[in-house]
């Protein structure tokens, strides 16, 4: 049994991740702290440091959050770009940078991207761009991780459980059950791979 920190545990992707981590001791966190063990803002280094100082050593960190703004490229404002980059890209990088000293030898980080990086849709330029960037980050930083630490990214398509919300904006996409996405998180946490993007698509 491993001790696994799951950031974004109450969101749809966080719940999907939890389905694959049932054999482990899970510590949960989200931005508000509501229905979770702790509150954390991944865009704040201070908030992340406070979280890790509180919980101490863990064997794995799973991040399932990354806020994105949606608009066409020509309508997207600088503020919207920065909000997306600060969360989905730099925020996830912060999780790794701050969390590295708190993860036990041979432990792992699992981050989140999204299928829109390879199957773009209207208004999702910021999501697609930052998803691709976090995948490149993981592939590269895997070579620099100390003490045998691993890092992977889950790239899921839309969840069946979220189809009512996102289906209209994703015509032609086939949703997948959250338990299938949970298997990808399980593979990342319990396997030995590193620097990999685990795509979950129909």
């Amino acid at each position: 049994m491993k001790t696994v920190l799951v950031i974004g545990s109450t969101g749809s992707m966080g719940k999907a991740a939890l389905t694959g981590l049932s054999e482990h001791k899970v510590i949960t966190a989200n931005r508000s702290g509501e229905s979770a063990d702790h509150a954390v803002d991944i865009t704040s280094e201070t908030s992340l440091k406070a979280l890790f100082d509180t919980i101490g050593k863990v064997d794995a960190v799973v991040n399932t959050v990354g806020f994105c703004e949606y608009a066409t490229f020509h309508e997207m404002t600088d503020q919207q770009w920065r909000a997306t980059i600060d969360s989905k890209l730099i925020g996830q990088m912060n999780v790794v940078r701050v969390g590295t000293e708190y993860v036990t030898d041979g432990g792992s980080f699992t981050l989140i991207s999204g299928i829109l990086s390879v199957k773009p849709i209207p208004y999702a330029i910021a999501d697609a761009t930052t998803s691709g960037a976090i995948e490149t980050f993981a592939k590269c930083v895997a070579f620099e991780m100390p003490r045998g630490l691993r890092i992977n990214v889950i790239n899921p398509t839309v969840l069946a459980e979220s189809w009512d919300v996102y289906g209209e904006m994703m015509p032609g996409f086939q949703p997948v059950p959250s338990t299938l996405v949970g298997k990808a998180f399980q593979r990342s946490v319990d396997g030995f791979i590193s620097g990999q993007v685990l795509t979950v698509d129909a």
Side-chain angles (χ1 to χ4, degrees):
M1 178 183 291
K2 298 178 179 179
T3 299
V4 182
L5 168 64
V6 177
I7 301 174
S9 57
T10 54
S12 58
M13 203 56 63
K15 292 176 181 177
L18 290 174
T19 67
L21 302 173
S22 59
E23 299 299 315
H24 300 301
K25 175 185 176 183
V26 175
I27 301 170
T28 59
N30 61 23
R31 185 157 187 159
S32 68
E34 185 176 348
S35 301
D37 300 320
H38 302 277
V40 68
D41 177 2
I42 67 170
T43 67
S44 167
E45 182 177 346
T46 300
S47 179
L48 282 166
K49 185 74 162 56
L51 171 65
F52 283 110
D53 281 342
T54 298
I55 66 177
K57 294 287 186 178
V58 295
D59 300 305
V61 177
V62 170
N63 180 73
T64 67
V65 297
F67 172 78
C68 295
E69 292 276 6
Y70 289 85
T72 67
F73 173 66
H74 293 289
E75 293 172 335
M76 184 77 69
T77 66
D78 181 71
Q79 184 178 9
Q80 287 177 304
W81 271 110
R82 291 182 183 277
T84 303
I85 292 169
D86 284 349
S87 180
K88 192 149 192 181
L89 179 57
I90 297 176
Q92 294 201 86
M93 292 166 63
N94 283 342
V95 170
V96 178
R97 185 167 53 83
V98 175
T100 292
E101 66 178 281
Y102 297 90
V103 177
T104 57
D105 293 0
S108 68
F109 291 90
T110 305
L111 307 180
I112 191 79
S113 61
I115 203 65
L116 301 184
S117 65
V118 291
K119 292 183 176 181
I121 62 172
Y123 305 102
I125 185 69
D127 189 341
T129 300
T130 49
S131 288
I134 202 64
E135 291 177 3
T136 299
F137 163 73
K139 291 174 183 178
C140 294
V141 81
F143 294 102
E144 297 188 29
M145 298 298 284
R147 299 181 287 105
L149 298 180
R150 300 179 298 105
I151 181 169
N152 297 295
V153 178
I154 308 302
N155 180 334
T157 191
V158 62
L159 297 175
E161 291 80 358
S162 302
W163 186 248
D164 288 346
V165 177
Y166 298 107
E168 187 174 349
M169 64 185 291
M170 301 178 74
F173 283 72
Q174 177 64 46
V176 298
S178 60
T179 52
L180 186 61
V181 176
K183 292 293 185 182
F185 282 97
Q186 182 181 19
R187 183 180 170 203
S188 178
V189 171
D190 292 338
F192 74 115
I193 59 172
S194 188
Q196 302 297 307
V197 177
L198 303 182
T199 301
V200 187
D201 194 11

